[in-house]
Amino acid sequence: MIRIAIVEDDTGYRSQLGKYIEQYQSDFSETVSVSEFSDGLEIVEKYKSEYDIILMDIQMKHMDGMQAAMRIRDMDKNVIIIFNK
């Protein structure tokens, strides 16, 4: 199973990413667990080293993606962080 966190403040874009992941599951018969966060601060406050991949928006209201990624990296050296604009 692949564990993915989507960190995106735009609900439409967050939904679109979810649809892409659903399509991937269907195409490759892979199980994917998705958690959604609406801000960098939200994921940082609740972070546990349980994700394989984090899809991270760069520009968010309370804590931007770069700051969140630095905080997460201090807690988890292995997670893959992919930034989207």
Side-chain angles (χ1 to χ4, degrees):
M1 175 169 38
I2 301 171
R3 298 159 304 182
I4 299 176
I6 298 174
V7 186
E8 172 62 59
D9 58 347
D10 183 309
T11 57
Y13 193 63
R14 196 166 58 229
S15 175
Q16 186 63 48
L17 287 170
K19 289 177 185 174
Y20 291 146
I21 293 167
E22 287 175 10
Q23 185 64 49
Y24 175 86
Q25 287 185 98
S26 176
D27 290 350
F28 295 97
S29 300
E30 183 73 52
T31 302
V32 180
S33 170
V34 177
S35 299
E36 296 183 359
F37 301 90
S38 60
D39 191 80
L41 185 60
E42 183 182 3
I43 190 171
V44 167
E45 288 178 340
K46 298 176 181 179
Y47 193 77
K48 297 175 190 166
S49 296
E50 62 186 7
Y51 301 107
D52 300 303
I53 301 169
I54 299 174
L55 303 175
M56 178 84 72
D57 186 9
I58 293 177
Q59 298 177 342
M60 292 177 282
K61 186 176 180 178
H62 299 289
M63 179 183 287
D64 69 39
M66 299 305 284
Q67 291 174 330
M70 287 188 292
R71 300 262 307 268
I72 289 168
R73 188 58 68 212
D74 288 339
M75 296 181 267
D76 187 347
K77 303 287 186 212
N78 297 316
V79 67
I80 297 168
I81 301 173
I82 301 171
F83 293 99
N84 57 334
K85 188 173 178 184

